[in-house]
Amino acid sequence: MTVIDVDIAPGDPLLVFLQSAPGPLEIAALPAHSPAVVRMKEQDVRLVVPLVTSGEVVGMLALGARRSERTYSRDDKRLLDSLARYGAPALRLGQLMREQEKEARDRERIEQELHVAQLIQQQFLPSALPELGGWHVAAFYRPARTVGGDFYDLIELADGRIMVVTGDVTDKGVPAALVMASTHALLRSTAQIASSPGEVLRRVNELLIPQIPMNMFVTCLVLVIDLETGRTRFANAGHNLPYIRRGDEVVRLEARGMPLGLMPGSAYEEVEAVIEPGDIVLLYSDGLTEQHDAAGEMFGFERTHAAVAAATGGDDLIDRSVLALAAFSGGVEQEDDITLVTLHRSRRGGYDETVAFVVPSELGNEREVMDRVASIVGEALPPSRLDALRTAVSETAMNAIEHGNRAQADLDVAVTVRRTPETVTVDVGDFGRGRRTPRETPDLDLKLAGLQTPRGWGLFLVEELVDRVEEFADGDRHIVRLVMRTAEPAAEERGS
Amino acid sequence: MTLAFELDMRGDTAAVRLTGRIDRDAGGILEHAYVAASAVGPAAVELGFDDVDYINSSGIALIVGLLARARAEGLPVRAAGLTPHYRHIFEITRLSDFIEIVVQPAPH
């Protein structure tokens, strides 16, 4: 048997011809100028049977000469015609399944790419925010489904000042994540040799231009803050301008400059301001201001301004912005990454205390940790929030003793408690390596059915009871940080 | 202090008054309390938490084990005397979906 090999190009006149054909056709009856017909004639095709279903040509049968050398009879053609009528829908079904399989493979590839982009991006976001004496830093980051290139960072400079950067790479997916990673690395390394924000941006721009793909650029804002005096120098490469809440006023810090990666030789205006005690600063990406609602309207600057005006603290400002955005967008899918960073400088006279102690890793000492933390925190938290913190601290200390230090009494568990007017932070440090396997979410139905162990509530309780849990390494210590705001959150749910 | 209990019949309910901590060390006592309470053939078991000053995740696991056993035996379990904090923990763990929380009226 010889296999006839013929492709029909999308524009081939044979397609239109087959679509309206009543049944099997002699090769001589087909349009002679069709490249597919020419090719079939070369292979001695005698008869063509169109496979049509729902008015669409899904294929054809091309037959060579009969073995008997006789022409195809009327009965042969009738048989082939009914074969085509039954075969065409089955063939179409097979084609659809193949298309769906291909789509599923493509989707999987895209999901995989998004996952890689997310991993790259999250790698470069700070895993924990530093505790800055007299200042409270809070951050919120929520990636869009398509992954943009938002980033933020806090870098301690050699002279003790803090450099705060936020940025946004145009474009999405892996390319944006890679440019973000590269920009982030350039900013960090440049901050070691230049501490003026305008100069940092100028140098990063020059370094970025040779490596950034065409049509991509990076907006970026750099603030260098003297924590003692609040004196702040800042420069801007086309990023959203930060807001400051000062008493009853809301002001915007303004500085001009081209986005990074666009034009060599760009200079960046540098402006100085003082962040006064009590001031709250908001840095934000355009994922906030440019989110649309169902009617196509943008969240915009006025609503952002209103959230800043009503804020009572940095965490509160983040909560307000996120809630206002959720209420505004009303279920419309998030279009871009959203990054919010707030800096709140304590008022003069505001306390900022740190107390540290250690306990040996002996089972039961978690209660001692809990009681000591509670007495240090005292009235900084309302009673219900103090109770929640007590349980979370006891669970965290128990994990540190039992799992982190494997109950070896000669290894201590280090506890640090910091109180600021806005938050209580408890760090619990052990010598373990942290959780290496993902936690199984406790499910009471499964537990009661004997399908899950009755245990496994510890981390669940911790995460449910405090406002934020962070985990990071500090030298040879593994630290779990519990953060509790001194006031009730603006709403029950927070997406950080 | 470690856990202790007293058992009392209140109508057809076996009332188990718990005192102390419900943590990893409480397993034996809690088991003993349940066996004693269910042995009298009550219509329900009520756990009294008024004098319980500490429940941790190991204690929650013990309560889950007790509840699983009572359900298998068709015995309803109630909880009385929980502080608002532990009531909250019963809610977030969903224990309150399976254990009726008895809230005593505030004293006049």
Side-chain angles (χ1 to χ4, degrees):
Chain A
M1 192 177 75
T2 316
V3 174
I4 293 161
D5 174 25
V6 57
D7 277 333
I8 310 177
D12 195 305
L14 177 64
L15 280 176
V16 182
F17 201 83
L18 290 178
Q19 201 164 6
S20 52
L25 297 159
E26 300 288 344
I27 192 81
L30 297 177
H33 57 288
S34 150
V37 172
V38 171
R39 181 101 180 87
M40 283 193 285
K41 282 180 178 166
E42 285 166 6
Q43 295 176 78
D44 199 23
V45 169
R46 303 288 173 85
L47 193 72
V48 168
V49 188
L51 297 170
V52 178
T53 180
S54 306
E56 192 187 348
V57 181
V58 294
M60 67 176 185
L61 297 174
L63 295 98
R66 289 189 62 183
R67 290 196 170 201
S68 62
E69 291 297 319
R70 290 170 60 181
T71 56
Y72 286 94
S73 68
R74 189 171 294 173
D75 279 351
D76 291 339
K77 288 180 184 169
R78 205 175 294 130
L79 181 67
L80 286 164
D81 192 35
S82 57
L83 179 67
R85 279 181 211 286
Y86 288 113
L91 179 66
R92 182 65 192 134
L93 189 63
Q95 289 172 340
L96 285 173
M97 281 172 66
R98 265 213 337 234
E99 282 166 20
Q100 275 178 355
E101 277 168 16
K102 184 177 178 302
E103 276 169 22
R105 277 197 304 275
D106 288 349
R107 257 201 314 275
E108 200 177 316
R109 188 182 51 73
I110 291 166
E111 294 287 332
Q112 182 68 22
E113 183 177 311
L114 287 176
H115 181 62
V116 170
Q118 270 171 345
L119 283 180
I120 295 171
Q121 193 172 27
Q122 280 163 17
Q123 194 74 24
F124 290 95
L125 296 175
S127 58
L129 294 170
E131 293 291 322
L132 309 174
W135 292 68
H136 176 67
V137 187
F140 172 90
Y141 166 72
R142 188 165 66 200
R145 200 173 59 83
T146 44
V147 188
D150 276 14
F151 61 94
Y152 65 91
D153 201 2
L154 283 94
I155 305 161
E156 197 171 344
L157 302 179
D159 60 10
R161 291 184 299 166
I162 291 288
M163 182 179 284
V164 183
V165 298
T166 57
D168 183 4
V169 182
T170 55
D171 210 348
K172 301 192 187 311
V174 172
L178 290 172
V179 169
M180 174 257 174
S182 165
T183 310
H184 180 269
L186 290 174
L187 279 163
R188 277 227 154 218
S189 57
T190 309
Q192 304 305 314
I193 46 174
S195 61
S196 124
E199 180 60 11
V200 167
L201 287 176
R202 191 193 68 75
R203 290 187 187 215
V204 171
N205 181 54
E206 298 304 324
L207 294 165
L208 199 58
I209 281 176
Q211 43 178 292
I212 196 166
M214 284 286 286
N215 305 322
M216 276 177 86
F217 58 86
V218 184
T219 68
C220 186
L221 188 78
V222 177
L223 289 87
V224 175
I225 305 172
D226 181 330
L227 299 176
E228 289 294 315
T229 61
R231 231 181 98 189
T232 302
R233 296 192 69 76
F234 69 99
N236 185 14
H239 200 66
N240 280 343
L241 298 169
Y243 282 103
I244 301 185
R245 159 86 200 263
R246 177 168 296 159
D248 294 334
E249 279 184 15
V250 174
V251 292
R252 265 212 303 197
L253 293 179
E254 302 210 8
R256 283 165 303 182
M258 289 287 281
L260 304 173
L262 274 182
M263 262 175 52
S266 295
Y268 294 89
E269 181 187 12
E270 203 169 287
V271 179
E272 188 169 300
V274 175
I275 300 172
E276 304 283 357
D279 283 359
I280 309 166
V281 183
L282 172 69
L283 315 176
Y284 56 99
S285 64
D286 56 12
L288 175 73
T289 47
E290 294 181 8
Q291 174 68 40
H292 291 87
D293 66 3
E297 192 185 340
M298 283 206 292
F299 185 75
F301 293 102
E302 269 184 40
R303 290 181 182 85
T304 309
H305 183 285
V308 177
T312 58
D315 289 299
D316 178 72
L317 175 49
I318 287 178
D319 286 343
R320 277 175 197 283
S321 308
V322 172
L323 289 170
L325 184 69
F328 169 79
S329 58
V332 173
E333 189 181 359
Q334 185 185 323
E335 295 160 71
D336 200 352
D337 289 7
I338 296 171
T339 303
L340 308 172
V341 177
T342 60
L343 304 158
H344 185 190
R345 187 177 178 199
S346 301
R347 290 187 185 284
R348 273 182 232 284
Y351 54 83
D352 179 9
E353 290 174 24
T354 300
V355 181
F357 62 91
V358 295
V359 295
S361 294
E362 286 166 11
L363 297 174
N365 274 355
E366 68 274 10
R367 292 195 307 278
E368 186 191 333
V369 173
M370 174 181 80
D371 290 339
R372 285 179 74 172
V373 168
S375 82
I376 294 163
V377 172
E379 291 176 355
L381 290 176
S384 64
R385 294 178 72 68
L386 182 58
D387 278 342
L389 181 67
R390 282 171 60 92
T391 296
V393 166
S394 140
E395 294 299 330
T396 308
M398 189 160 72
N399 274 337
I401 292 168
E402 199 177 339
H403 302 299
N405 289 349
R406 298 174 186 276
Q408 295 178 53
D410 55 327
L411 295 179
D412 61 43
V413 170
V415 182
T416 307
V417 185
R418 288 187 203 84
R419 302 195 319 174
T420 71
E422 205 163 317
T423 57
V424 170
T425 305
V426 182
D427 287 357
V428 178
D430 59 41
F431 293 96
R433 284 187 289 164
R435 207 176 337 136
R436 271 161 290 165
T437 49
R439 170 172 72 81
E440 183 179 53
T441 305
D443 182 320
L444 189 54
D445 291 305
L446 296 179
K447 289 181 187 298
L448 291 175
L451 300 171
Q452 233 182 38
T453 158
R455 298 178 61 86
W457 293 102
L459 286 166
F460 170 82
L461 289 178
V462 173
E463 285 168 1
E464 289 287 323
L465 291 172
V466 301
D467 292 321
R468 201 166 68 230
V469 184
E470 295 165 4
E471 224 176 314
F472 55 95
D474 183 8
D476 53 0
R477 292 260 187 193
H478 163 253
I479 312 279
V480 175
R481 173 171 291 171
L482 310 176
V483 183
M484 200 72 164
R485 274 173 275 171
T486 51
E488 294 288 344
E492 286 296 307
E493 278 192 323
R494 226 187 124 206
S496 62
Chain B
M1 68 180 274
T2 51
L3 194 67
F5 79 96
E6 279 173 34
L7 176 62
D8 193 14
M9 282 305 287
R10 208 178 298 141
D12 56 2
T13 298
V16 180
R17 187 184 177 87
L18 300 163
T19 305
R21 299 192 306 261
I22 307 184
D23 56 13
R24 84 176 71 235
D25 302 327
I29 297 292
L30 205 58
E31 156 96 13
H32 186 182
Y34 177 78
V35 170
S38 59
V40 295
V45 172
E46 182 174 299
L47 302 172
F49 290 91
D50 301 74
D51 298 319
V52 171
D53 50 18
Y54 176 70
I55 308 174
N56 69 4
S57 59
S58 304
I60 295 290
L62 293 175
I63 295 169
V64 170
L66 183 152
L67 174 64
R69 189 165 165 186
R71 281 169 62 80
E73 293 168 9
L75 193 56
V77 180
R78 293 200 289 265
L82 286 169
T83 63
H85 173 57
Y86 288 120
R87 224 161 46 219
H88 178 56
I89 287 185
F90 269 49
E91 280 160 15
I92 58 182
T93 54
R94 291 185 49 240
L95 276 170
S96 56
D97 289 0
F98 299 91
I99 296 178
E100 184 193 344
I101 309 290
V102 181
V103 182
Q104 282 102 337
H108 293 288

